[in-house]
Structure formats: C-alpha cells, structure tokens
Amino acid sequence: MMAKITFNELAFLIPIIIFRLGQSLLCAFLSLILLDLASILEIPYQEVSSLFLYKAAGCIIGALSGCLYLHFKNTWRYKDIDPISILGIINFINSIIFLAIPYINDFLSWKILVLIMFICFAFTETALTAIIIDTWGPVKSQSIMQGFHMLFAIGSSIGPVIVAPFLSAKGENDDSFQYNENENITQNLVVESGDGIQNNDYNTLQWPFLIIMALSISSSVLFFYIGLNQIRIKIQRM
C-alpha cells in the first residue's frame, strides 16, 4: 500500500523536482548550443567546447563546497539558518546568471559564468542529497533518492526537444562550419556579419536559458518558503 504524502512533504518535493529538472536541462542545453555559440562569439568550435572543462571544474568545486558546508555548518555563526534557505539563495544567484548569460558576447565571461553556475548546481545537489536523507530518514528517503536521480534522466531526454526550435541551422546547411579533411577537425569559418550576439539568427538562445531561469527562481522561492516555515522539521517530527 502506497504511503500517504502529506502537504508538508509535497511542499518539499515540488522544489526538489523543479531544481533537478532545471539542472538536467542545463546540462542538455549546454551540449546542444555549442555550434550556435561558436558562431555568436566568433571562435572555433573546438575552442568553445572547452566550456565543458569549466563545467567539470564547477561540479568538483561545488560538490566539495557542499560537503564542507554540511560538515561545518553547526560550528559557524549562522548555524540556526535552515540549510534549505541557503540553497534558495544559491539558486537565486543562478537565476540571475541564466538571465544574463545569453546576452554576453565575451568567451572569458562565459567560462566564468559556466564555472559559477555549476558550482551552484553541484553545491545544491550535494547538500540536497544529505538534506533529503536527514529529513525522511535512511529508509523512507530511498525511493525519493531514486526518483531524484531518475529526474535527471528525464530532463536530459526532453532537453533536446525543448531546445531544438531555438537552434539555428549552423553546421547543417551553410558554409559557416566546414570539415577540414587535412586536419581532421571541424573549423569555424566566421561569417562577417558584424552583428555578433544581436543577430536575429542567434538571439533565440535566450529562450532556453529563460526556461531554466524560471525553474531556478521557482525552486529558489519554494526553498525559502520551506526554510521560513520550518517544513523540514515538521516532516522529521511525523
């Protein structure tokens, strides 16, 4: 017989679902927009793929920071603040990045912002995993953690479908990207449009990031709600 889900549990599960979907969509989007991004920033495709190095570094730093926070949170000055409220602040920071990044025309800035956004995501994921286990206990949290990981697969699957309408045809039917048989690499032959990121062919990239921003800010608000109303404590007392 399926256990009944209380209002407090549902209120906590909703932002967890929203956060996880946003995280998985971002990973999918970042992989799919590389050709368009290379054209926007007027850099070779193989260079723009270095963003994944900053993504990986952000994940490592964020995961380590999340572990350190959870380990030392009871020793710092603001230990009475619910950790879920801290996650609300971090997700709000990411929301600002998602709003700004489509309009940035500098690759170094992209690298820095990708690093920051994945630090925030990895910190939240690491802390949220421990918070889920602490809130529901080692037994009841098992099914929730399975669903938590399944959501990443769902988001990664629907991500390409969502982002497809916003991608240009670069690399498919024009000469901006051509395969160089001598060097065995794909080279970016920059189109001299002079429009940069303002070109109408590319400014639709803002929409995928606005979708993630909407998910991120929604989870942020709900995390604040959970922290302020001590919903985690109410679930633990059940």
Side-chain angles (χ1 to χ4, degrees), residues 196-207:
I197 206 163
Q198 299 302 321
N199 192 312
N200 289 331
D201 289 339
Y202 306 109
N203 60 17
T204 53
L205 285 185
Q206 66 182 306
W207 296 110

Side-chain angles (χ1 to χ4, degrees), residues 19 23 53-71 86-87 90 94 114-129:
F19 161 77
Q23 182 189 34
L53 174 63
Y54 291 84
K55 171 189 171 183
C59 289
I60 294 171
I61 296 170
L64 290 175
S65 300
C67 292
L68 290 173
Y69 165 71
L70 292 170
H71 184 74
I86 302 296
L87 302 188
I90 291 173
N94 251 359
V114 166
L115 177 69
I116 294 172
M117 70 172 66
F118 278 97
I119 288 175
C120 293
F121 263 141
F123 182 98
T124 303
E125 179 182 0
T126 302
L128 198 54
T129 299

Side-chain angles (χ1 to χ4, degrees), residues 144-162:
I144 297 174
M145 289 306 306
Q146 290 172 352
F148 184 72
H149 294 300
M150 182 186 70
L151 284 168
F152 193 90
I154 293 173
S156 300
S157 299
I158 65 176
V161 178
I162 295 174

